[in-house]
Amino acid sequence: MRWATRTGVHIDRAACAWLVRRFVDPDAEFVFVSDPAEVPADATPFDMRGVELGHHGDDCSFETFLVRYDLTDPVLARIGQIVHEADLDDGRYDAPEAPGLDVVLRGLSMTGDDDRTLAVTGPLFDGLYEYFRRSYLLGREPS
């Protein structure tokens, strides 16, 4: 399946792309557009104004994906809180990891194009997922 999002991939778009590839559509292909009117007819748009898989209410696009695809994994919910704070910085969640993740993703987006950003941020989100998964299993921070 093809998925479309805005150019200039940053925190919410990178996190959503990772979520799609890891939990929704492992064969996902991504296209990047400057204007929502440029979304190909065969692509599902996300993290753009006015689309189903975008910001809704006080939620970022990642949180919208979790609801839309009924992804109830508490690890994904925790990552969603971090992405929310990094993207919106509204103090809704206690997510001390958010500023650091924001800086890392901003820097990575400056070192290459959008395809490269998705390629290098995928393992970053894999690491976050594994860290919080083990935290839940152990009931403490993993060493």
Side-chain angles (χ1 to χ4, degrees):
M1 188 168 162
R2 291 178 77 194
W3 300 80
T5 193
R6 295 175 290 131
T7 58
V9 169
H10 190 241
I11 185 75
D12 204 6
R13 279 167 272 164
C16 289
W18 169 80
L19 186 70
V20 166
R21 278 203 176 125
R22 184 91 188 268
F23 296 94
V24 177
D25 178 8
D27 299 319
E29 294 177 32
F30 296 96
V31 294
F32 307 98
V33 299
S34 299
D35 185 313
E38 299 171 354
V39 172
D42 66 340
T44 301
F46 68 94
D47 199 38
M48 292 187 230
R49 289 191 195 284
V51 301
E52 179 184 356
L53 295 170
H55 288 220
H56 289 283
D58 294 331
D59 290 345
C60 69
S61 299
F62 190 92
E63 293 167 299
T64 299
F65 266 96
L66 294 180
V67 171
R68 168 68 170 79
Y69 287 94
D70 196 29
L71 299 170
T72 59
D73 179 345
V75 175
L76 293 177
R78 179 66 185 127
I79 292 171
Q81 292 173 353
I82 296 167
V83 169
H84 176 103
E85 282 305 314
D87 192 43
L88 301 175
D89 192 23
D90 62 5
R92 181 175 175 185
Y93 300 108
D94 177 25
E97 307 86 355
L101 184 61
D102 182 51
V103 167
V104 168
L105 278 160
R106 282 180 192 273
L108 288 171
S109 72
M110 295 173 189
T111 65
D113 65 14
D114 291 327
D115 285 315
R116 183 174 184 284
T117 299
L118 293 189
V120 297
T121 57
L124 180 67
F125 285 104
D126 284 341
L128 276 175
Y129 184 85
E130 186 59 21
Y131 178 86
F132 287 110
R133 186 186 74 80
R134 289 185 191 196
S135 293
Y136 281 106
L137 289 173
L138 296 170
R140 60 172 173 77
E141 288 187 8
S143 49

